[in-house]
Amino acid sequence: MHYIESISQIFFIIAEEHSSKGFGINTNVLDTNIINLGILITLLVYVGKQAVSSLLENRQQKVLNSLQEAEERQSQANTRLAEAQTQLAQTQIVISEIKKEAEITAQQVRESTFNQGKIDIERLVASGKVSISSAEIQVKKKLLQQVATLAVERVLSQLKAEISPEMQSKIIDDNIASLGGQL
């Protein structure tokens, strides 16, 4: 910045010196300060070159630092991406294992429910058979009792109709005699 101020002051001094004389073409080489201008331009190029190269070097260093930071961030991002992909792969493996276990468990529950249903049906059939058998036995007993009751009633009614009081006495006496007279 200091170089630019000194250069601008030099231009102002030159401009003030020539403004009093007016505008015109001067053919005198020494009077026109061509040598001074050459020195001034050389000095400007030398000093300006150092200032510009210093600015460019600073800028280049900033750009290099920015590039390095960007590369570091990219490397970190790639690392995080790789970790995320690894975690995703592990998660997918766990999910597939859970699905397989769920399918196996569902199949086992289906089979268990089916088998339990089969057992329950067999038990109900057996229980039904037992109930039917016992009902049949009870019905048979009742039928036999009714048949026996009806037979006895019929026999009694026939006996009452056919047996006279004398026959009854004779049957009673025969029975007593077969018992051996033990009363």
Side-chain angles (χ1 to χ4, degrees):
M1 200 63 149
H2 178 61
Y3 299 115
I4 296 173
E5 289 177 8
S6 61
I7 292 171
S8 62
Q9 286 177 354
I10 292 171
F11 280 124
F12 283 125
I13 293 170
I14 293 171
E16 284 179 12
E17 202 174 301
H18 288 289
S19 65
S20 60
K21 295 180 183 176
F23 184 71
I25 296 177
N26 189 354
T27 57
N28 186 356
V29 174
L30 293 176
D31 196 24
T32 58
N33 291 322
I34 290 180
I35 297 171
N36 290 339
L37 285 174
I39 293 171
L40 183 64
I41 291 173
T42 305
L43 189 65
L44 280 174
V45 168
Y46 178 74
V47 171
K49 179 181 176 184
Q50 290 177 350
V52 170
S53 67
S54 172
L55 289 172
L56 288 176
E57 286 177 9
N58 288 340
R59 181 68 181 148
Q60 182 181 12
Q61 191 60 38
K62 287 180 184 179
V63 168
L64 289 175
N65 289 341
S66 296
L67 285 173
Q68 287 175 346
E69 288 176 12
E71 287 174 355
E72 288 175 10
R73 281 190 237 132
Q74 182 184 9
S75 173
Q76 291 172 354
N78 287 339
T79 303
R80 286 192 300 248
L81 177 63
E83 290 172 359
Q85 287 174 338
T86 303
Q87 289 176 351
L88 177 63
Q90 291 172 348
T91 303
Q92 288 175 340
I93 291 170
V94 169
I95 288 171
S96 67
E97 288 175 0
I98 290 172
K99 283 182 181 179
K100 286 178 185 176
E101 289 176 7
E103 289 173 1
I104 291 170
T105 303
Q107 184 64 28
Q108 289 173 346
V109 167
R110 270 189 241 122
E111 289 175 2
S112 171
T113 304
F114 179 74
N115 291 338
Q116 186 63 40
K118 225 174 158 181
I119 291 170
D120 289 345
I121 289 171
E122 289 172 357
R123 190 170 11 106
L124 287 173
V125 167
S127 173
K129 285 180 181 178
V130 168
S131 295
I132 290 171
S133 295
S134 96
E136 283 178 355
I137 291 171
Q138 287 177 356
V139 166
K140 284 180 184 178
K141 282 182 183 178
K142 282 187 179 183
L143 284 175
L144 285 175
Q145 285 176 352
Q146 286 179 352
V147 167
T149 303
L150 287 174
V152 169
E153 286 176 2
R154 187 182 253 176
V155 168
L156 281 175
S157 68
Q158 282 180 353
L159 282 177
K160 282 182 185 177
E162 292 180 11
I163 295 184
S164 64
E166 289 100 28
M167 265 176 99
Q168 281 181 0
S169 299
K170 185 179 175 192
I171 293 173
I172 292 174
D173 288 340
D174 287 340
N175 282 332
I176 290 175
S178 69
L179 290 174
Q182 304 170 3
L183 264 177

